[in-house]
Each structure stands twice: as structure tokens, then as C-alpha cells.
Amino acid sequence: MSMTIGLAGKPNAGKSTFFKAVTLADVEIANYPFTTINANHGVTYVQAECPCKEKEKTCGKCVDGVRLVPIDIIDVAGLVPDACKGRGLGNTFLDELRQAQAIIHVVDASGGTDAEGNPVEIGDHDPLEDVVFLNREITMWLYGILERNWVKLSRKIQAEGLKLEVVISEQLAGAGINEYHVNAALVDTGLVRVDHIKWTEEDMIQLCDTMREISKPLLIAANKADIAPRDNLNKLKELDRIVVPTSAAAELALKSAAKNEIIKYKPGNGYFEMLTEDLTKAQKKGLEAIHKVVERLGTTGVQECINRTVFELLDLIVVYPVEDEGKWSDKVGNMLPDAYLMKKGSNCHDLAYQIHTEIGDRFLYAVDARTRLRLGEKHELKNGDVIKIVSTAK
Ligand SMILES: Nc1nc2c(ncn2[C@@H]2O[C@H](COP(=O)(O)OP(=O)(O)OP(=O)(O)O)[C@@H](O)[C@H]2O)c(=O)[nH]1
Ligand SMILES: [Mg+2]
């Protein structure tokens, strides 16, 4: 399963800084709105516990028992109010987001930028407004697509006896919405019990809002936490979703220093180790400041955002397919060669299909490499499972 996280938010919130920190791609960062115009695509890593800890031999792919599993991430242009009607860079942003299964909303928690991303005094802007506005923009973008052909579509549903969820999901397929999302939203909103001919504009916006929640779960990175008033962070934390205070700038500085072998730093850790005393005054001062920030926040929060998006928001698990259930390796002795992200609830047969369609088609049974027990196709996988799939010969 290929997984994509989208970084979204108003201009100047720190999306590109976050992106650069987690991918180390060389992208433009600046203190003014619309620095990013074309979306940046990159690869980042979610951290999973590596099963090799249980063996005498280490796999050679993890760092101190932490396995890095690649996922895609996109950094899109900043979104301003009424983007869904074409303001700012408008719909290009939203069109990029459709590939994302989840969104990290990078909020400027410092309140130091206005709704359009222009610098203001720290604390002048209320970041809660940004949270409401981003959700609203995405909802209205969906509504815009649905409403465009609605009169024609709703007639067609009636005349041809088509299924409502099929027609709506076809219309919104480009936005990453499927029949399951539509159905769940119809039930949640109660609109399943109202004749679609009688739906009001409000009903449809409500439906789109619910489809957004279901199809694009969102985590909030309360960014610029290093300079944010405590009140702002507390207010954001009270929201009914996952909110992680972050300092993308601190994470980027730590990653860069680690790359230049000035420090040893493992993303997600609340500490780093100096590797050299040979520093310029500015470097020393910079690292001291970051040390204080990390000490206060616990960690920079950036890696936590990625991990929690994958494991909490999207409810994924990591499964390790192997061919040799004794050595936990592929045929040539490569230990734990792959780590797959799968939806919680996936079974052995799903894993076989993820490895290869043919292996799925010729599935016989699976073996739990830990217990050596045989598992049937319907057996549900657990996070961290090491599994061998046995299939019939071609
Ligand atoms: N203090 C502080 N500043 C930050 C942090 N993250 C980003 N910034 C600064 O915020 C400004 C904007 O950062 P960008 O990463 O370019 O923001 P963006 O959201 O990509 O902006 P657009 O591309 O214009 O939409 C830059 O001056 C960054 O250095 C942070 O965690 N703390
Ligand atoms: Mg940017």
C-alpha cells in the first residue's frame, strides 16, 4: 500500500521547513507568503520497532532496533481563505492534496502571521481560526465539485435508478473519495434517510464536511512552538483531535547538523550528542538555543507527527514478510528484507496480494515465523508480525 501524507496550511506556517526536515530535500524556505508554488514531493520515514531485536543477529537495516519505513509526503502551496473559489493559488493546492490519505495541518501556533501568511506581531493572530478555515476550505472544495453537476446527477439517479453512493463517489473520485466514504458520511449525517432531491445546500455542505473528515483524517502540528505563547499551545491542545507542538525549524537545524557530522541525533529523540568541539560561535549559540527548545518541548515533535499520523490517524500496522521462517530472511539470507504498511484488520491473504498479485492468486497458507504456526488466509495480522507466505508452484 503506498501511503501519502499531505502537509497543508496557510502560507508561511512552516510547511516547507517541516518537509525539508523530514526529507532533507533542498527546498525553498522564506518568511513571506507563497514561497512554495509547485508542490514538493518527497520520501520520509515512519519509525517502527524492528523484530530483529528478538534474534541473535541484527538485520542491519534498523538503527538501534528502530526500523524506518518509507512513506510519501507532499508539501503544497499555502492556502488562503477562499482558495476553493480560486483565490491565491487556489485549486492547484487542493488538487495536489487528493493523493494524500492523511493531512498534517501545519499551523503557525506563534500567532505571528495573519490569515494570509503575512508577518505580524507574535500572538496577534489566533491560530484556532486557521484550523477552522483549513477544514472549511477543503469541505467547500469538495462541495464545489459535487455541486457542479448536481442537478443533472440527481435526475440521473432518479431516472436510471442508480445508487446514490456510486454516483457521488464517481463525481468525487478525483478528490480521493470512494463509496465507503460516501456511505459512512450518509449514515453519519442522517442524509441516508432524506430523499436526495430534497437536499438543501446546507445538507450537501454537511455531507462534504463529513466525507472530508472520513477520507482525509487530519493531525495538527502546532508549529513554531519554540516561539509560541503558551496560551496558544494550550488552546490548540484542547481541540478534539491529535495536536502535536512542533518546531520544524529546530528539527531542520538538528538534521542538518547531524548530516554535517556536528552532532549525533536520532529523529524523535529529545536529546542529541556533540561529535565535535570545533564549532563557530554562531553554530555553538544555535545549538544551545535548540537544546533549550528541545528540553522545553520534550522533542521537536516532527517525527511524532509522522508516527502518529501513520499509526493513530490511519491505523496502519507494519508487517515483515520473509521467505525463510527460521532465519527471518529472503532466499539469499537477507534478514527482514521488507517492511509493509497495512491497514489494521488486513489478513494473510491481503499480505500475499501486497507482495505480488500472483502470490495472492496462488496463496496456500501462511506461517507465523515467531511461533511457526500455520495461518489461514483469513487470519488477521498484528503489528510487527513476521510472516512467510506459501503459495502453489507456477
Ligand atoms: N521560530 C520558528 N520559525 C519557523 C518554524 N518553522 C518554520 N519557521 C519559519 O517560518 C517561515 C516560513 O517557513 P516556510 O517553511 O517557508 O513556510 P511555508 O508554510 O512553506 O510557506 P509557503 O510556501 O509560503 O506557503 C520561515 O522564515 C521559517 O524559517 C519553527 O518551528 N519555528
Ligand atoms: Mg513552502
Side-chain angles (χ1 to χ4, degrees), residues 12 14-17 28-30 34-37 40 75-78:
N12 222 349
K15 300 178 295 300
S16 297
T17 308
E28 214 179 326
I29 294 170
F34 298 122
T35 305
T36 307
I37 293 179
N40 298 305
D75 161 36
V76 296

Side-chain angles (χ1 to χ4, degrees), residues 8-13 15 34 77-90 93-94 97 103 105-108 113-117 125-141 209 212 218 220 236 239 241:
K10 73 181 184 188
N12 222 349
K15 300 178 295 300
F34 298 122
L79 191 68
V80 294
D82 284 334
C84 64
K85 294 183 191 142
R87 264 198 79 222
L89 295 170
F93 152 89
L94 295 159
L97 258 199
I103 296 174
H105 181 181
V106 181
V107 173
D108 179 351
T113 47
D114 68 14
E116 322 249 311
H125 181 78
D126 181 359
L128 283 179
E129 276 176 28
D130 300 343
V131 174
V132 176
F133 128 82
L134 185 99
N135 291 342
R136 177 81 185 167
E137 280 306 318
I138 300 174
T139 295
M140 293 311 285
W141 165 62
D209 199 50
R212 169 188 59 74
L218 177 145
I220 292 172
L236 285 164
L239 289 170
R241 41 176 95 238

Side-chain angles (χ1 to χ4, degrees), residues 20-21 24 249-263 265:
K20 192 168 176 171
L24 280 183
E251 178 75 2
L252 179 56
L254 289 174
K255 287 277 190 71
S256 308
K259 197 177 165 194
N260 294 326
E261 293 176 354
I262 294 171
I263 62 167
Y265 170 64

Side-chain angles (χ1 to χ4, degrees), residues 55-56 322-329 369 372:
K55 293 292 238 192
E56 336 40 88
V322 294
E323 286 176 89
D324 183 323
E325 71 267 46
K327 294 197 185 113
W328 293 11
S329 68
R372 307 292 175 95

